[in-house]
Amino acid sequence: MREQITFLGIETSCDETAAAVIRENKNGTADILSNVVSSQIAEHEKFGGVVPELAARAHLENIEFIIDKSLKDAKINLNEIDGIAATAGPGLIVCLTVGLNIGKSIAAFSKKPFIGVNHLEGHALSPGLENKIEFPYLLLLISGGHTQYLIVKDVNQYEQLGTTIDDALGEAFDKTAKMLNLGFPGGPNVEKFSKLGDKNYFKLPEPIINKAGCNLSFAGLKTAVLRESKKINGDEKMKYNLAASFQNTINKILFKKTKVAIEIFKEKTKKKEVRLIVAGGVAANKSIRENLSNLAKEMNCKTIYPDLKFCGDNAAMIAWAGIKRFNKDLIDKIDISAKSRWPLDSTAPYMKGPGLKLD
Ligand code: KG4
Ligand code: ZN
């Protein structure tokens, strides 16, 4: 195997413009030579959510500076880099195209290999930046656009065990923050204000809790939060109670569904030892970490969480996925195009829309 591979990673799938230089070290983990993330919170704050065209324009304005900074911070020249990886999907096409095109251009003029990374694979492999982890492991991927339980069998080999049938978990957090006027970005604010409230004050629904395996649903919970938020008439204390009760309900749902996912994982892999890895933006939530660590203790599993800086969108995880794919000769052609939808397990059933049967 080649050693000490160094990659430039680029990420522009949503509202973070990011570039990073990562080197695989002798321990099989990563040396983070640089990790630059420029968040667009200020641009989207007044709209209470990400506006795709604004995000794309901000990526265009920032990307060259961010890439340049990532190389300068890493004290490295482009010719010392072994390859370029950029997120190719899933995400907003107008945003993805910015990072993907500049990545392809750099690869073409510097004659380096190019890898178009699945953003979800970036999240899935992100714990490997700091930990040497053996395959297979159980992944709970919780982000703004995705909520999935997967068996990570190897790089490029995923089996989906369950997913959300409606909203993604981060989306449910963001919508709750919007309904309660807690500000943008939603998830971290729900977590912050939950600390001021009584988590048992509201009894909220736990949709499909006892059916549909480890598939999840948050739409009914969101509707209940909306209904209660109208009744409380802006009362501050009650807002915090509602935020805390929402987060507590999420924790109850994740506890139960993760338990089911662990059982399915054991059955499918015949492994007695389970490593549960929680990744994606929502994995930054401390109460969710605590809750899942309690479950893991009860079920004799090991939990691994990426460092907070690698939970939200970043390019370190994209460069890392690039290195891992490069090591397996999974190199892309330079004409690879952006994809808005790109499941990690292409055989998994599509779990949204009318006619869905759950048992
Ligand atoms: O992975 P990510 O940065 O972007 C996507 O790939 O979607 O995840 C962003 C999501 C947002 O919905 C954000 O509100 C949520 O992660 N999030 C959180 C927390 N930090 C970020 N949700 C709950 N608690 C947090 N502390
Ligand atoms: Zn993400």
Side-chain angles (χ1 to χ4, degrees):
M1 195 181 97
R2 309 169 187 97
E3 266 188 61
Q4 307 272 288
I5 296 296
T6 307
F7 256 64
L8 167 67
I10 301 170
E11 156 64 38
T12 62
S13 68
C14 191
D15 59 341
E16 324 279 354
T17 316
V21 180
I22 301 298
R23 178 170 292 156
E24 187 175 35
N25 62 34
K26 291 207 171 77
N27 307 325
T29 58
D31 289 339
I32 316 293
L33 304 190
S34 68
N35 184 29
V36 186
V37 182
S38 162
S39 168
Q40 302 175 4
I41 290 173
E43 275 89 344
H44 303 292
E45 202 165 17
K46 46 189 174 295
F47 302 100
V50 177
V51 183
E53 287 71 21
L54 279 185
R57 195 187 315 157
H59 287 312
L60 262 178
E61 281 165 7
N62 293 328
I63 190 70
E64 274 182 54
F65 171 79
I66 299 291
I67 292 175
D68 207 37
K69 182 163 167 41
S70 74
L71 293 168
K72 282 199 180 113
D73 285 1
K75 298 187 180 60
I76 207 166
N77 274 319
L78 205 49
N79 57 21
E80 296 168 81
I81 282 184
D82 298 297
I84 323 289
T87 306
L92 302 162
I93 294 285
V94 279
C95 294
L96 287 164
T97 312
V98 177
L100 186 62
N101 282 349
I102 198 158
K104 292 198 292 192
S105 310
I106 296 171
F109 78 67
S110 62
K111 299 193 172 54
K112 307 273 182 195
F114 178 77
I115 295 173
V117 171
N118 183 323
H119 180 85
L120 305 176
E121 180 158 57
H123 280 302
L125 302 178
S126 64
L129 284 160
E130 301 163 291
N131 309 276
K132 182 131 183 64
I133 310 168
E134 273 168 42
F135 298 111
Y137 53 81
L138 174 64
L139 174 72
L140 168 58
L141 174 54
I142 38 180
S143 72
H146 297 87
T147 305
Q148 297 170 356
Y149 290 102
L150 294 143
I151 303 178
V152 181
K153 297 178 175 174
D154 201 340
V155 175
N156 204 35
Q157 280 184 43
Y158 299 89
E159 180 177 348
Q160 185 177 300
L161 303 180
T163 186
T164 176
I165 60 163
D166 39 57
D167 294 344
L169 185 52
E171 201 180 344
F173 267 93
D174 293 338
K175 286 178 179 165
T176 293
K178 211 168 178 178
M179 289 186 267
L180 296 178
N181 239 333
L182 296 177
F184 180 80
N189 281 335
V190 170
E191 178 175 20
K192 181 171 140 198
F193 290 107
S194 288
K195 292 195 186 102
L196 307 174
D198 173 1
K199 66 178 185 180
N200 296 312
Y201 193 92
F202 290 94
K203 173 92 189 86
L204 299 169
E206 296 159 26
I208 65 168
I209 193 76
N210 289 318
K211 60 177 188 177
C214 62
N215 291 297
L216 305 119
S217 166
F218 303 109
L221 171 58
K222 179 185 67 187
T223 313
V225 171
L226 178 65
R227 198 170 50 238
E228 296 299 340
S229 71
K230 285 184 177 155
K231 288 191 213 155
I232 62 180
N233 226 348
D235 181 292
E236 290 292 297
K237 185 71 198 153
M238 292 300 259
K239 260 169 58 170
Y240 303 150
N241 288 344
L242 190 46
S245 302
F246 164 79
Q247 189 172 267
N248 188 39
T249 309
I250 292 294
N251 273 324
K252 287 197 230 164
I253 296 171
L254 289 181
F255 194 95
K256 175 71 201 293
K257 292 291 179 176
T258 307
K259 195 171 189 171
V260 175
I262 291 171
E263 276 153 8
I264 300 174
F265 178 90
K266 279 185 178 162
E267 202 181 293
K268 285 198 176 250
T269 61
K270 310 278 176 244
K271 296 261 172 203
K272 287 199 183 71
E273 268 189 18
V274 181
R275 282 174 301 272
L276 168 67
I277 298 208
V278 190
V282 188
N285 186 297
K286 295 210 180 59
S287 86
I288 290 179
R289 286 181 176 217
E290 214 178 281
N291 173 48
L292 293 174
S293 293
N294 287 340
L295 168 70
K297 209 182 279 170
E298 190 183 301
M299 299 205 57
N300 224 354
C301 304
K302 192 173 174 218
T303 44
I304 301 169
Y305 306 95
D307 187 85
L308 290 188
K309 61 180 173 295
F310 302 129
C311 285
D313 288 349
N314 65 86
M317 68 181 192
I318 302 303
W320 183 242
I323 291 173
K324 292 279 143 190
R325 293 184 75 83
F326 180 76
N327 286 341
K328 291 196 172 285
D329 285 326
L330 295 165
I331 296 164
D332 290 301
K333 294 214 179 82
I334 209 78
D335 62 356
I336 180 175
S337 54
K339 294 181 211 155
S340 59
R341 194 175 171 271
W342 188 3
L344 281 177
D345 176 357
S346 56
T347 65
Y350 189 60
M351 295 297 287
K352 287 183 183 172
L356 185 65
K357 285 198 176 56
L358 299 169
D359 35 48

